[in-house]
Amino acid sequence: MAGFRDIDKALFPIKNINTVLQLFRQQLEDTCEPDLALLSIVVGIIENSLTSRSNAALQVYEPFEQNSLPLLELDAVETLYDKFQNIMNTAVNINKSKSFATRDLVKRVSDVIWNSLTRSYYKDRAHLQSLYSYLTGSKLDCFGVAFAVVAGCQTLGYNDVHLALSEDHAWVVFGEHGTENAEVTWHGKGNEDKRGQEIGKGVSSRSWLYVNNKPVICTRQMEVAALVSAINPSLNSTHDAYEVSLLQQELLWLLYDLGHLKKYPMAIGNLGDLEEISSKEGKVPCKTLFEEAIVSARRYYNNQHVYPYTYQGGYFYRNKMYKEAFESWANASDVIRLYNYSRDDEEIYKEFLEIANELIPHIMKVESSGFSANTILKKPECFANLLRFYDGICQWEEGSATPVLHIGWAKPLVNTISKFDADVRAQVNIVCDKSGEEKFSKKNGSYFNNNNYDKENGSHNSDASKSNETDISAGNFHPSLEALTAACS
Ligand SMILES: FC(F)c1nnc(N2CCN(c3ncnc4sc(CC(F)(F)F)cc34)CC2)s1
């Protein structure tokens, strides 16, 4: 059983980051499972005290002591911890007969959380992810509701209920074999919530939102990693609270070193972002972390996640490694091409829109300013990756009920492609195998997008290896891309 044990209480009052790390270490290393409610309340109090402008100036803590924090008293935590226990035990009066949760139980816990939330509030506000926010402000964001349901089920003694995470949604799995699943929170704006229902079997199952049924299924330790990833150090739109950011980074390293981030690409990416800002002595560099996130997604999630590539692409872009950025974004595009675009996929749509219409045009402007000696405009593999990037977006649109591309995409695209000289473009062969998939190769040697994945029947056609390549013009591009490229040839 989890719990707030004497050895944990002995750490209070907590005055610095190292003591918080000790609390997490004790909770994570001991045989019993970590107590999600306790840890969420502790980081929630710290985050709130250091980021809410109201009392930011009134901090009473020793600024000189190493990594000091506002004094965190035991009774502040105990009061909230007991309050959460009471809410769960009174509202969900279960005869703890069953050892495994049922859909009815999960729905009831979700209803307790749901019905106790403030009627209407700005759902996308920061700092609404923790049980501290729930217990003191009756406000939670989409992730926070799902996390609270899992923490509530843990409190009730159901250790089979776990958090399932896609790149933009959260739900729960439960049951003797962990094969049952249920919606427990809302998603997006203006969508009716589907709480209590099984995860989409219909068209929504082919949308990015459900990552082709390859979600991150959390252990208790990975649920701790999720609450740590959800820590939000932002003070306002331009500044972060330094101690909160440092605490998050140290906690992510603790979880990384204990091996709990192995199957959690986004948490590794979060750590990579923090390391890029300020790297910790003796740790792997952020570039390696972004690579590890990609390896994890390829190994455990059948390369169906986009964010590991956009984490890496963003890193290359910020560090002016434009050739590498193009490759990361083309790889991201190779993931999204497998999906059908649905109205629930706005977040990833915005991600690709920003890359295509902001980041790539900025690179083009800088590279064609004439001062870059080793310009990417002379590199055929950059042009090839650019085409692969755009083609993936076109294929994403193919077979989708909702269109992706519109004229707003065309201008930046044509502008970008026309920046590459004809002789550079001519060095890119577009070869096509029997399955009609385009592949982009360079003269000497070639590389292929290796997903001969047939979106319709969800299979990899086996004849890919026996493909007889023929050089073709760009005539085999997705019609949208063909029209666009014709515009500038
Ligand atoms: F691609 C890069 F540019 C990204 N930079 N930040 C990205 N984030 C920030 C962190 N983040 C996450 N980081 C850890 N775990 C989770 S679980 C989840 C979905 C939901 F919120 F539960 F609904 C999101 C998410 C979402 C993706 S992607």
Side-chain angles (χ1 to χ4, degrees), residues 16-270:
N16 57 52
I17 288 176
N18 292 339
T19 313
V20 180
L21 280 172
Q22 186 52 33
L23 173 65
F24 272 75
R25 202 174 280 115
Q26 285 176 191
Q27 283 280 320
L28 286 164
E29 280 181 344
D30 294 359
T31 45
C32 84
E33 53 178 40
D35 190 307
L36 299 178
L38 170 65
L39 299 179
S40 181
I41 288 164
V42 166
V43 295
I45 292 176
I46 293 169
E47 174 178 323
N48 177 69
S49 67
L50 284 167
T51 59
S52 67
R53 301 152 65 94
S54 55
N55 58 10
L58 309 177
Q59 288 319 326
V60 181
Y61 57 108
E62 295 74 27
F64 308 108
E65 194 190 298
Q66 181 69 8
N67 297 332
S68 64
L69 290 171
L71 212 54
L72 178 50
E73 302 282 2
L74 174 58
D75 75 292
V77 176
E78 252 176 344
T79 308
L80 294 177
Y81 185 77
D82 295 340
K83 180 176 178 181
F84 186 67
Q85 300 255 354
N86 283 334
I87 290 171
M88 285 301 144
N89 288 317
T90 41
V92 189
N93 48 2
I94 39 148
N95 49 351
K96 186 71 181 74
S97 58
K98 298 206 174 68
S99 45
F100 297 107
T102 60
R103 184 169 302 276
D104 173 60
L105 182 272
V106 166
K107 180 62 168 52
R108 272 192 287 154
V109 174
S110 177
D111 286 344
V112 170
I113 303 288
W114 190 264
N115 296 328
S116 58
L117 295 177
T118 307
R119 271 294 133 254
S120 82
Y121 56 95
Y122 179 48
K123 306 289 190 300
D124 291 344
R125 225 182 67 197
H127 318 303
L128 299 185
Q129 77 287 54
S130 76
L131 287 190
Y132 172 83
S133 172
Y134 169 64
L135 293 163
T136 61
S138 305
K139 294 180 193 66
L140 283 171
D141 59 23
C142 157
F143 164 82
V145 169
F147 180 84
V149 170
V150 176
C153 291
Q154 180 185 40
T155 300
L156 293 169
Y158 291 98
N159 56 19
D160 58 307
V161 180
H162 285 288
L163 198 55
L165 303 170
S166 77
E167 297 190 297
D168 190 40
H169 192 31
W171 59 93
V172 300
V173 295
F174 60 95
E176 186 168 3
H177 309 290
T179 49
E180 298 298 311
N181 62 44
E183 299 273 8
V184 292
T185 184
W186 79 87
H187 178 263
K189 285 190 170 33
N191 305 327
E192 198 52 35
D193 74 87
K194 305 176 194 167
R195 288 180 316 111
Q197 297 174 29
E198 252 194 303
I199 299 312
K201 287 208 166 322
V203 282
S204 71
S205 69
R206 251 217 290 284
S207 68
W208 165 76
L209 187 69
Y210 291 98
V211 283
N212 201 18
N213 209 15
K214 292 285 177 190
V216 175
I217 304 293
C218 292
T219 60
R220 281 284 177 261
Q221 291 75 19
M222 288 167 74
E223 281 142 12
V224 174
L227 81 87
V228 170
S229 284
I231 289 172
N232 186 338
S234 47
L235 253 178
N236 52 48
S237 54
T238 49
H239 292 88
D240 281 359
Y242 171 72
E243 298 86 350
V244 179
S245 185
L246 183 62
L247 173 64
Q248 182 179 39
Q249 190 169 357
E250 295 285 1
L251 287 172
L252 284 172
W253 274 124
L254 172 64
L255 289 152
Y256 177 93
D257 295 339
L258 292 173
H260 300 314
L261 302 193
K262 273 203 179 336
K263 300 183 177 179
Y264 198 165
M266 286 186 289
I268 302 172
N270 289 333

Side-chain angles (χ1 to χ4, degrees), residues 138-402:
S138 305
K139 294 180 193 66
L140 283 171
D141 59 23
C142 157
F143 164 82
V145 169
F147 180 84
V149 170
V150 176
C153 291
Q154 180 185 40
T155 300
L156 293 169
Y158 291 98
N159 56 19
D160 58 307
V161 180
H162 285 288
L163 198 55
L165 303 170
S166 77
E167 297 190 297
D168 190 40
H169 192 31
W171 59 93
V172 300
V173 295
F174 60 95
E176 186 168 3
H177 309 290
T179 49
E180 298 298 311
N181 62 44
E183 299 273 8
V184 292
T185 184
W186 79 87
H187 178 263
K189 285 190 170 33
N191 305 327
E192 198 52 35
D193 74 87
K194 305 176 194 167
R195 288 180 316 111
Q197 297 174 29
E198 252 194 303
I199 299 312
K201 287 208 166 322
V203 282
S204 71
S205 69
R206 251 217 290 284
S207 68
W208 165 76
L209 187 69
Y210 291 98
V211 283
N212 201 18
N213 209 15
K214 292 285 177 190
V216 175
I217 304 293
C218 292
T219 60
R220 281 284 177 261
Q221 291 75 19
M222 288 167 74
E223 281 142 12
V224 174
L227 81 87
V228 170
S229 284
I231 289 172
N232 186 338
S234 47
L235 253 178
N236 52 48
S237 54
T238 49
H239 292 88
D240 281 359
Y242 171 72
E243 298 86 350
V244 179
S245 185
L246 183 62
L247 173 64
Q248 182 179 39
Q249 190 169 357
E250 295 285 1
L251 287 172
L252 284 172
W253 274 124
L254 172 64
L255 289 152
Y256 177 93
D257 295 339
L258 292 173
H260 300 314
L261 302 193
K262 273 203 179 336
K263 300 183 177 179
Y264 198 165
M266 286 186 289
I268 302 172
N270 289 333
L271 182 54
D273 278 351
L274 291 164
E275 279 295 298
E276 184 187 351
I277 293 165
S278 113
S279 61
K280 188 177 181 197
E281 266 307 294
K283 294 293 184 185
V284 292
C286 62
K287 186 167 180 287
T288 306
L289 291 170
F290 293 122
E291 287 157 2
E292 288 181 7
I294 287 167
V295 169
S296 171
R298 287 177 175 170
R299 182 154 166 222
Y300 300 110
Y301 305 107
N302 191 32
N303 199 31
Q304 306 268 265
H305 294 186
V306 175
Y307 282 149
Y309 297 108
T310 47
Y311 268 116
Q312 186 189 52
Y315 165 75
F316 285 138
Y317 173 78
R318 291 187 293 270
N319 291 275
K320 302 185 179 7
M321 300 160 79
Y322 298 138
K323 174 168 166 286
E324 294 78 358
F326 279 5
E327 180 159 3
S328 304
W329 291 332
N331 290 336
S333 190
D334 273 348
V335 172
I336 204 68
R337 74 170 68 232
L338 306 174
Y339 289 105
N340 284 340
Y341 180 57
S342 111
R343 52 195 291 279
D344 292 320
D345 296 343
E346 282 94 358
E347 280 311 306
I348 205 66
Y349 172 84
K350 288 189 289 191
E351 194 82 23
F352 279 106
L353 192 70
E354 185 195 15
I355 294 166
N357 295 357
E358 313 285 333
L359 307 188
I360 290 175
H362 168 75
I363 293 172
M364 288 304 146
K365 192 159 61 64
V366 167
E367 287 291 292
S368 51
S369 65
F371 297 108
S372 28
N374 190 16
T375 174
I376 58 166
L377 301 180
K378 297 276 177 231
K379 295 188 167 122
E381 63 267 39
C382 293
F383 184 62
N385 279 327
L386 205 57
L387 294 183
R388 187 157 63 98
F389 170 74
Y390 288 125
D391 189 58
I393 296 171
C394 292
Q395 201 177 330
W396 181 25
E397 176 171 72
E398 209 169 333
S400 302
T402 324

